[in-house]
Amino acid sequence: MTDDGKIPFVDLVTHHLEIEEELVSVFRSALKTAGFVGGPMVEDFEREFAQFCRVHYCVGVGSGTDALRFALIAAGVQAGDTVVTVPNTFIATTEAISQAGARPDFVDIDERTYTMDPEKLRAYLETDCTPDRKTGRVVSKRTGSPVTTVIPVHLYGQMADMDPILDLATQYNLIVIEDACQAHGAEYFSSKQNRWMRAGSMGHAASFSFYPGKNLGACGEAGAVTTNDQELAERIRMLRDHGQVRKYHHDIEGYNGRLDAIQAGVLRVKLRHLAMWNEQRRERARGYDELFADAEGTVILPHVPSWSRPVYHLYVVRVADREPLQKDLAAAGIGTGIHYPIPLHLAKAYEALGFRPGDFPVAEQAASQVLSLPMYPELSPEQQRRVATAVLQSMPVGESGGLRYRSEPRLRPVGRQQMRRV
Ligand SMILES: Cc1ncc(COP(=O)(O)O)c(C=O)c1O
């Protein structure tokens, strides 16, 4: 809680003050060696984050957007390819596609998890594309270009349903790049592999963002690509560093997309706390679940399928009439967010792609109803109780927009309990 009693949407100040000494020592040691770019801090972080994600390779880069762009280019995406993703993601996903020279296309999401609906992907590949026997790929009827790649987005800290997406990718010869920018440590139970797998370890490559508000955030901009493919990792190492194999030997044209050494040091410090922070987020999520347990139909809670262990980058509820609720919460000093208000197929930036309202109805409805409540490891049960009370007091009586509304908030104390949703 801030001094004025407000509950911010995220509290990055408390978060950093708690580990201030550890962070300051990173700056001190960087000053002593003046090793600001590359070097052991970057290499150590890359090794440790690869271990955390249970992959062979991690390549640190300048941001999550760079991570996506480099992963696409290194995986072989060509100018003019069509790359399929979902409309309800941060624009960086589609920016990276365009910056790699490809063209974004979309499939709709599952209405309960908000991640890519594998059945919609199947329908897209079967009916919106035609097979090209020469290349073994499919060609999008809409874009007229080969569909080479799919980017499932692990949204809000929960992984997409990867088994069927990977099956389709194999069947249709697609590259799979995971957008894991919001999912550090999230897990998926793969029935095919009969084990829990971490975000970043299932596709050909995956991108992570370490933007400060992420579950693992730098004190500035940073990102990484993870992969089990050694050649792909080597190509990304070149792309991030002007295409160099060694100083001034440029085999290809690349970018200045390196991970800053001080940020790598910061990330090493924070990585040691990440499992605990993720567990605390899960506990906060269980707390909200309990507090809203009697508001079923009024406040739609995050859905966690049995194959998912999310890390709650965000705790996103869904309500029929979001605007008055968000205003009431703001008046009560409670910060909220909307992730995201405009699905990308309707964003002005993509007008030229020619999409219309109604093209992706599930994503469009979610965009108009989702609300992200305060969620961070330092959030206290008392703060959560205040948030829940304010939410339930703001709800109108009666029925609206397909979500049932209750009149009286009935709150239960927050307690530790096993995750009971499947
Ligand atoms: C889903 C998603 N993709 C990509 C990105 C881009 O990451 P960055 O901001 O580090 O470039 C973000 C970050 O906000 C994100 O949430």
Side-chain angles (χ1 to χ4, degrees):
M1 203 170 322
T2 52
D3 290 344
D4 53 10
K6 290 187 174 168
I7 303 175
F9 173 57
V10 280
D11 180 4
L12 291 181
V13 176
T14 311
H15 187 72
H16 287 101
L17 287 179
E18 278 174 4
I19 52 167
E20 187 178 349
E21 272 317 305
E22 288 177 90
L23 295 176
V24 169
S25 70
V26 169
F27 287 83
R28 280 204 201 96
S29 64
L31 286 177
K32 277 187 193 133
T33 60
F36 299 123
V37 177
M41 287 218 270
V42 173
E43 285 159 22
D44 289 348
F45 171 69
E46 289 176 338
R47 199 182 48 255
E48 289 162 8
F49 193 65
Q51 266 166 18
F52 177 83
C53 296
R54 301 178 193 147
V55 291
H56 294 314
Y57 308 100
C58 165
V59 185
V61 297
S63 68
T65 313
D66 273 358
L68 275 167
R69 177 171 50 143
F70 297 163
L72 290 167
I73 297 170
V77 169
Q78 303 285 319
D81 286 2
T82 291
V83 175
V84 196
T85 188
V86 286
N88 61 326
T89 177
F90 183 53
I91 193 169
T93 315
T94 44
E95 281 175 335
I97 295 170
S98 306
Q99 289 164 9
R103 191 184 158 134
D105 206 354
F106 302 104
V107 295
D108 213 342
I109 53 167
D110 176 84
E111 76 177 333
R112 295 206 295 171
T113 61
Y114 310 121
T115 54
M116 181 176 280
D117 182 339
E119 281 312 309
K120 306 259 172 57
L121 179 63
R122 179 190 303 284
Y124 172 85
L125 294 165
E126 281 175 1
T127 58
D128 297 348
C129 298
T130 47
D132 178 345
R133 283 196 181 78
K134 267 192 268 162
T135 61
R137 306 248 190 214
V138 288
V139 173
S140 160
K141 289 181 192 164
R142 216 175 50 74
T143 65
S145 71
V147 181
T148 61
T149 307
V150 58
I151 305 184
V153 180
H154 303 324
L155 201 70
Y156 307 153
Q158 174 154 272
M159 288 179 69
D161 189 0
M162 290 301 288
D163 274 354
I165 293 173
L166 290 171
D167 279 348
L168 287 165
T170 306
Q171 191 183 339
Y172 287 92
N173 196 11
L174 304 177
I175 300 161
V176 179
I177 305 294
E178 297 169 68
D179 184 335
C181 285
Q182 299 187 6
H184 318 71
E187 291 184 342
Y188 175 84
F189 188 81
S190 167
S191 304
K192 287 177 62 182
Q193 307 242 11
N194 197 27
R195 63 189 168 107
W196 286 95
M197 298 186 72
R198 283 251 158 112
S201 69
M202 295 195 75
H204 293 99
S207 65
F208 285 89
S209 164
F210 304 121
Y211 188 73
K214 299 290 197 251
N215 289 32
L216 178 63
C219 293
E221 303 279 358
V225 179
T226 55
T227 181
N228 283 314
D229 181 332
Q230 188 178 5
E231 272 177 39
L232 203 144
E234 287 311 320
R235 278 198 291 279
I236 291 166
R237 280 183 215 288
M238 285 170 71
L239 283 169
R240 75 171 172 185
D241 195 16
H242 299 290
Q244 299 186 120
V245 276
R246 61 196 157 93
K247 204 164 176 69
Y248 303 132
H249 289 67
H250 308 277
D251 281 12
I252 54 170
E253 258 194 6
Y255 303 84
N256 178 354
R258 297 173 294 240
L259 172 60
D260 183 303
I262 291 176
Q263 298 308 339
V266 164
L267 290 166
R268 284 193 73 207
V269 165
K270 290 190 171 190
L271 186 55
R272 294 199 277 270
H273 301 269
L274 182 59
M276 181 186 73
W277 287 334
N278 280 346
E279 202 39 58
Q280 287 169 334
R281 284 174 183 270
R282 288 178 173 136
E283 230 170 86
R284 301 292 91 88
R286 287 195 285 271
Y288 275 136
D289 290 353
E290 277 257 296
L291 287 162
F292 291 120
D294 290 338
E296 204 184 328
T298 306
V299 182
I300 305 290
L301 303 182
H303 174 67
V304 181
S306 54
W307 43 257
S308 172
R309 281 186 193 145
V311 289
Y312 294 98
H313 172 54
L314 298 168
Y315 187 90
V316 177
V317 299
R318 188 162 172 165
V319 294
D321 200 3
R322 178 177 62 202
E323 211 178 306
L325 172 61
Q326 197 177 25
K327 276 196 188 132
D328 286 349
L329 291 178
I334 296 166
T336 54
I338 298 174
H339 301 88
Y340 297 91
I342 303 172
L344 291 178
H345 65 290
L346 301 179
K348 193 158 183 281
Y350 294 118
E351 246 169 28
L353 296 182
F355 291 104
R356 296 271 170 276
D359 283 344
F360 304 103
V362 183
E364 287 167 33
Q365 200 191 25
S368 68
Q369 296 183 328
V370 289
L371 185 70
S372 308
L373 300 181
M375 167 53 80
Y376 32 93
E378 300 77 17
L379 191 71
S380 72
E382 178 47 35
Q383 287 176 307
Q384 289 193 278
R385 215 167 282 135
R386 272 186 52 204
V387 173
T389 304
V391 168
L392 296 170
Q393 278 173 350
S394 157
M395 290 290 148
V397 181
E399 300 209 354
S400 165
L403 302 175
R404 270 194 314 106
Y405 282 78
R406 300 172 61 89
S407 49
E408 286 299 311
R410 281 193 289 143
L411 300 185
R412 284 200 217 131
V414 178
R416 290 172 74 101
Q417 63 166 40
Q418 291 304 308
M419 229 192 286
R420 59 194 154 60
R421 292 167 304 172
V422 282

